[in-house]
């Protein structure tokens, strides 16, 4: 890059070593360069960014303020996992309508089995199910699936089929915005908070196995199974189990 307003390629992905579980060298993007026929040679540079080089830095925080589409306008961007439905952003709010499919957003990041992390969201659930969770917050460290599921009348830890496992908390999730937080305390336990109050915890060993082998570690938020949700803000942080 020799000046302003020049085009460039952006590799939107977490890099992992060749031969590792999340080997990103097996998912290659082809770069094509075009030049005038009189050009006989050229050069280009590749810049690698490592914004969280542990142990020099102990915390890595990413915030999505719902002011743009997560997989298109957000920085850093999220990846879309979808089998139907739609989503829109406006006025600082992200609205997800999954219909009968799934519409969720995820980011692969450096969450280890023994590391701490949390994900927090301000959102209002608009689904009506009282049997199966529809909205969810996920931390998957490639060993355990740590997920907080939200249905119209309760929240709690869930498995990959969105059924409650372990403790749940009865509440009306459709009446207003609520702040949901999911905490991973290394390989000891997971906790979930609602509006700043601890409402459930589960031993790490009791959590379901990873739901995304070969793709995790990752964090995720979204909706599925005919529900709906309106999101105001999503934050996750690696290296600590809470914002404090």
């Amino acid at each position: 890059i020799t000046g302003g307003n020049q085009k460039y390629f952006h590799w939107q992905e977490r890099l992992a070593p060749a031969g590792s579980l999340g080997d990103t060298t097996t998912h290659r993007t082809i770069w094509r360069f075009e030049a005038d026929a009189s050009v006989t040679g050229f050069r280009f540079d590749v810049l690698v960014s490592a914004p969280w080089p542990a142990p020099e830095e102990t915390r890595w925080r990413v915030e999505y303020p719902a002011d743009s589409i997560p997989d298109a306008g957000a920085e850093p961007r999220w990846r879309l996992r979808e089998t139907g439905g739609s989503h829109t952003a406006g006025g600082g709010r992200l609205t997800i309508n999954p219909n009968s499919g799934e519409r969720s957003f995820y980011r692969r990041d450096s969450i280890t089995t023994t590391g701490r992390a949390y994900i927090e969201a301000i959102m209002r659930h608009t689904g009506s199910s009282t049997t199966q969770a529809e909205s969810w917050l996920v931390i998957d460290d490639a060993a355990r699936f740590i997920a907080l599921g939200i249905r119209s009348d309760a929240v709690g830890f869930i498995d990959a089929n969105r059924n409650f496992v372990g403790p749940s908390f009865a509440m009306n999730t459709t009446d207003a915005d609520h702040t949901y937080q999911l905490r991973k305390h290394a390989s000891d336990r997971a906790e979930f908070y609602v509006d700043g109050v601890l409402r459930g915890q589960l031993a790490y060993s009791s959590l379901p196995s990873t739901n995304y082998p070969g793709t995790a570690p990752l964090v995720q938020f979204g909706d599925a199974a005919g529900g709906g949700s309106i999101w105001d803000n999503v934050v996750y942080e690696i290296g600590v189990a809470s914002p404090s």
Side-chain angles (χ1 to χ4, degrees):
I1 298 176
T2 57
N5 300 317
Q6 294 182 346
K7 294 182 178 180
Y8 61 92
F9 293 100
H10 177 214
W11 178 269
Q12 185 188 319
E13 182 57 277
R14 172 182 178 270
L15 300 179
S20 68
L21 183 62
D23 183 357
T24 48
T25 65
T26 61
H27 306 285
R28 299 175 181 174
T29 296
I30 298 174
W31 295 354
R32 292 185 174 88
F33 298 88
E34 295 183 4
D36 188 272
S38 61
V39 176
T40 59
F42 71 97
R43 56 168 287 184
F44 68 95
D45 296 319
V46 176
L47 305 178
V48 178
S49 173
W52 185 53
E56 287 75 15
E57 295 186 15
T58 58
R59 302 174 70 146
W60 168 236
R61 185 178 188 271
V62 172
E63 182 172 6
Y64 165 65
D67 58 354
S68 59
I69 299 297
D71 57 316
E75 182 59 42
R77 293 186 181 181
W78 297 68
R79 288 181 174 269
L80 172 65
R81 178 177 285 114
E82 56 89 16
T83 57
S86 63
H87 61 276
T88 58
R93 309 277 279 181
L94 172 71
T95 300
I96 301 178
N97 295 303
N99 294 333
S100 59
E102 176 182 350
R103 188 156 292 256
S104 59
F105 302 91
Y106 71 96
R107 292 197 75 246
R108 301 178 66 217
D109 220 323
S110 303
I111 306 167
T112 62
T113 301
T114 57
R116 296 176 294 170
Y118 73 87
I119 182 170
E120 177 184 280
I122 301 172
M123 60 89 72
R124 179 166 63 88
H125 183 65
T126 58
S128 59
S129 174
T130 58
T131 59
Q132 186 182 44
E134 296 169 327
S135 305
W136 61 1
L137 295 172
V138 176
I139 301 172
D140 193 319
D141 63 6
R144 298 290 179 178
F145 179 67
I146 310 165
L148 177 62
I150 301 157
R151 66 189 196 195
S152 65
D153 65 342
V155 299
F157 293 108
I158 57 171
D159 60 21
N161 294 318
R162 300 176 184 271
N163 298 313
F164 283 159
V165 295
S168 62
F169 174 67
M171 63 174 290
N172 182 355
T173 65
T174 66
D175 61 343
D177 286 356
H178 294 281
T179 300
Y180 302 97
Q181 188 181 98
L182 179 64
R183 299 182 180 183
K184 176 185 183 296
H185 291 269
S187 56
D188 177 64
R189 70 189 188 281
E191 298 174 336
F192 71 86
Y193 287 69
V194 179
D195 297 326
V197 180
L198 176 63
R199 296 300 188 183
Q201 63 180 13
L202 194 62
Y204 182 83
S205 59
S206 299
L207 293 161
S209 298
T210 176
N211 190 43
Y212 302 107
T215 303
L218 57 77
V219 293
Q220 180 175 265
F221 72 96
D223 216 298
S229 50
I230 302 174
W231 303 76
D232 183 84
N233 195 66
V234 180
V235 176
Y236 75 86
E237 192 166 6
I238 303 170
V240 293
S242 68
S244 58

